[in-house]
Amino acid sequence: MLNRREFLAVAAALTAAAPLARGAAASQPRARSATTAVDSAVPRLDALAGRWWKTHQLRNFPAVNSSLGGCQATADVLAVTAATLPPYCQGFTSGSLAVNGKTVAAESMRWLPHEIRRRGASGQIAVETRVRMPFDAPGVFTQIILTNTGPRGAGVDLAIELIGAFSEHTNGWSWNIPRPETVAQFQARLLPGGNAVLIGDSKTPARTIFTVALAGQQKAQSPLHVAAAGEHGVVTGHVTIAPGKSVIINMAMAIGSWEPELIAQAQGWSNHFEASFSEVKTRWQELFDAAFTPGNDI
């Protein structure tokens, strides 16, 4: 039996040898194969969810996983930390969200088998985020839902900080997972098209790409401005939300080392975000169902 040190070393070596995220094809939802009918007694993922907890009640924040690794929530509504996807590992956090000049803290959190949910608020604007990880490619999906709980329309100034502090380590994995030493070793640049930022590590080949866009008609009516600012990315914008209505922001983070393939991956996720986001839940449900299905095809 492998101990933890041996397991991490093997996992890092195997992942480093594999092609990055299957290229552009991996950026689009895959066709589903026919599966054996599952007994209706097998719970759906939502039935396995934990309850909402106040953030101050939690000593350990919830985490979410993919088939390649995992990451953990932070005390604000947006960022994740400690993302570990051999041979890639994250330092620090992935950023922050400010609404009308206020960084939004997570007031409550909820764990589900396939995602992390967090809630907070800035004045009359309620914020909920849902974080999932692509099932079989290094990355993170985040959906931000802004809801106007007030009696009148509200103008909302948005500011999102994007920190892609990932490094690549093909050896040396042990009890102490290698992490980047400082944010100063990273440099951000805006990619052609204007909706994506690439953040590169100066000490290893690791690259991280963020794409951020409003969902639906708001994407054309109130486009977000994406920019590079030194070692991180910045997203700003202004939206108007009617009473009782919501605006959704879709954000994808892709991690890898070969830029052409990584750019195709990130743009594919951005172009098909709703389908890619939904597929995560589908894949986890299929895996859970398979555990109760003799002769399953997984």
Side-chain angles (χ1 to χ4, degrees):
M1 178 180 295
L2 292 176
N3 60 31
R4 182 175 183 273
R5 184 188 300 269
E6 293 168 337
F7 171 79
L8 289 173
V10 172
L14 290 176
T15 307
L20 169 66
R22 290 69 166 174
S27 66
Q28 301 186 26
R30 67 186 182 94
R32 312 307 305 145
S33 60
T35 56
T36 305
V38 179
D39 191 295
S40 60
V42 178
R44 302 299 86 189
L45 296 181
D46 289 342
L48 303 173
R51 70 176 180 89
W52 284 98
W53 289 89
K54 295 293 185 182
T55 302
H56 69 80
Q57 295 175 309
L58 298 172
R59 288 182 175 272
N60 192 35
F61 295 153
V64 67
N65 295 87
S66 70
S67 64
L68 302 179
C71 62
Q72 186 176 27
T74 67
D76 67 21
V77 292
L78 182 69
V80 297
T81 190
T84 306
L85 298 147
Y88 307 107
C89 51
Q90 178 193 19
F92 319 105
T93 74
S94 60
S96 62
L97 166 67
V99 173
N100 292 331
K102 174 188 174 184
T103 300
V104 185
E107 298 171 4
S108 58
M109 302 186 186
R110 188 185 193 193
W111 174 88
L112 291 88
H114 60 289
E115 72 180 11
I116 302 165
R117 295 185 185 179
R118 283 171 283 183
R119 289 176 177 168
S122 178
Q124 69 188 57
I125 304 302
V127 181
E128 180 172 327
T129 59
R130 302 179 178 188
V131 176
R132 303 178 182 180
M133 300 185 75
F135 193 81
D136 54 8
V140 178
F141 296 148
T142 304
Q143 194 168 70
I144 306 167
I145 306 168
L146 307 172
T147 302
N148 181 2
T149 63
R152 302 179 184 84
V156 179
D157 290 320
L158 298 168
I160 302 173
E161 182 185 30
L162 306 172
I163 303 174
F166 280 84
S167 57
E168 178 180 348
H169 297 271
T170 55
N171 55 54
W173 289 72
S174 61
W175 292 109
N176 295 318
I177 296 173
R179 302 286 182 191
E181 298 173 358
T182 172
V183 293
Q185 72 189 66
F186 297 91
Q187 183 65 41
R189 75 174 192 268
L190 186 66
L191 292 178
N195 76 323
V197 169
L198 184 149
I199 300 172
D201 180 13
S202 63
K203 295 186 177 182
T204 77
R207 301 290 182 266
T208 304
I209 295 177
F210 289 93
T211 65
V212 185
L214 287 159
Q217 295 181 348
Q218 285 283 345
K219 184 175 183 179
Q221 297 171 357
S222 306
L224 300 176
H225 177 69
V226 182
E231 73 282 351
H232 63 278
V234 176
V235 180
T236 55
H238 180 88
V239 295
T240 300
I241 310 176
K245 299 298 183 180
S246 298
V247 165
I248 297 174
I249 301 171
N250 295 328
M251 186 168 77
M253 176 170 63
I255 304 134
S257 55
W258 187 40
E259 284 191 18
E261 196 166 41
L262 188 63
I263 291 170
Q265 173 96 76
Q267 291 297 346
W269 283 343
S270 180
N271 294 338
H272 306 278
F273 186 87
E274 286 80 7
S276 299
F277 191 75
S278 296
E279 187 189 25
V280 175
K281 184 176 182 180
T282 300
R283 295 287 297 276
W284 277 112
Q285 186 67 64
E286 289 179 344
L287 189 64
F288 188 65
D289 291 345
F292 301 91
T293 307
N296 67 76
D297 60 356
I298 292 179

